Amino acid sequence: QVLLQESGPGLVKPSQTLSLTCTVSDNSILSGDYYWNWIRQPAGGGLEWIGRIYLDRRTTSNPSLQSRVTFSLDTIKKQISLRVTSVTAADTAIYYCARESYFSGGFDPWGQGTLVTVSS
Amino acid sequence: QSALSQPASVSGSPGQSITISCTATSNYVGRYDSVSWYQHHPGEVPRLIIYDVIDRPSGISNRFSGSKSGNTASLTISGLQTEDEANYYCSAFTTDSTWVFGAGTKLTVL
């Protein structure tokens, strides 16, 4: 059973860059069978898809965030990463990474999530 | 305004069945073939319960079922149990190769 674990600073100042990493416990990141997604949930709000990356480094992102997000994938460290630039209080949320099968829809499994607060 | 419309809340009594709808409000979701559903208990990690409209991941109870008619996908939970009380989200793949979530439905088991 693969495990995903997010990590990164819990507090980021407004206008700065939020950087998170998701570590994958098995070698599924090395195969072409999966996309690797980032999803967030603000306090009291619903789920918002941020974007995804594939093994060949192709990425797709939410049009509402596209200009501020970048994704990377490191097969050596078995990690995926997310960067969000120019953050505001609206970016305060629990951030999850999740795996998606290339052959079928659905995010499974999810990481435990990490809370990021944007505040001075 | 999400491209997917869900009721804000539904309720039912133990043993009953309930259905949560997820209506695509634009052509943004294309043929609406890649619809998934998630159960989310507050403070826990969201869990995939239905994918590709009707399929259940291994380990998910057959009390959960998915269907679709036209531009409306539905999640039905039969034999309601108290532990089913949670927030439920639908998600769909769009013509831009992005994913979109509905705003979520709060299920209360009375």
Side-chain angles (χ1 to χ4, degrees), chain A residues 14-91:
Chain A
S15 80
Q16 294 191 343
T17 296
L18 177 165
S19 296
L20 296 175
T21 297
C22 172
T23 302
V24 181
S25 67
D26 70 5
N27 289 328
S28 59
I29 195 172
L30 304 177
S31 82
D33 291 347
Y34 301 101
Y35 294 97
W36 302 91
N37 291 263
W38 287 95
I39 296 157
R40 69 182 184 180
Q41 182 177 35
L47 299 172
E48 180 180 34
W49 182 78
I50 300 170
R52 70 182 186 181
I53 187 168
Y54 187 60
L55 181 63
D56 64 4
R57 277 60 177 188
R58 277 182 299 143
T59 63
T60 315
S61 53
N62 188 322
S64 70
L65 297 168
Q66 191 169 350
S67 63
R68 297 194 297 125
V69 298
T70 56
F71 309 94
S72 61
L73 184 150
D74 186 329
T75 55
I76 304 297
K77 296 181 178 178
K78 294 194 284 188
Q79 291 179 336
I80 62 170
S81 298
L82 167 70
R83 283 169 50 93
V84 183
T85 61
S86 305
V87 297
T88 70
D91 294 307

Side-chain angles (χ1 to χ4, degrees), chain B:
Chain B
Q1 182 94 8
S2 174
L4 301 177
S5 178
Q6 297 182 236
S9 62
V10 298
S11 62
S13 300
Q16 288 185 334
S17 294
I18 63 93
T19 297
I20 299 172
S21 61
C22 176
T23 300
T25 58
S26 75
N27 292 328
Y28 191 40
V29 294
R31 296 185 308 168
Y32 211 29
D33 288 341
S34 289
V35 179
S36 48
W37 290 91
Y38 301 86
Q39 178 190 62
H40 190 199
H41 291 102
E44 298 184 7
V45 178
R47 180 172 71 148
L48 176 68
I49 54 175
I50 296 289
Y51 67 96
D52 291 350
V53 180
I54 60 172
D55 291 327
R56 266 190 317 275
S58 172
I60 298 300
S61 169
N62 59 9
R63 296 188 302 105
F64 295 92
S65 63
S67 62
K68 187 185 77 168
S69 178
N71 66 338
T72 297
S74 298
L75 170 71
T76 297
I77 308 174
S78 58
L80 267 182
Q81 300 178 1
T82 54
E83 57 261 39
D84 296 332
E85 185 162 295
N87 295 306
Y88 291 84
Y89 294 89
C90 61
S91 181
F93 197 63
T94 76
T95 53
D96 288 344
S97 297
T98 63
W99 286 94
V100 62
F101 284 97
T105 299
K106 180 178 173 58
L107 169 61
T108 301
V109 181
L110 304 169

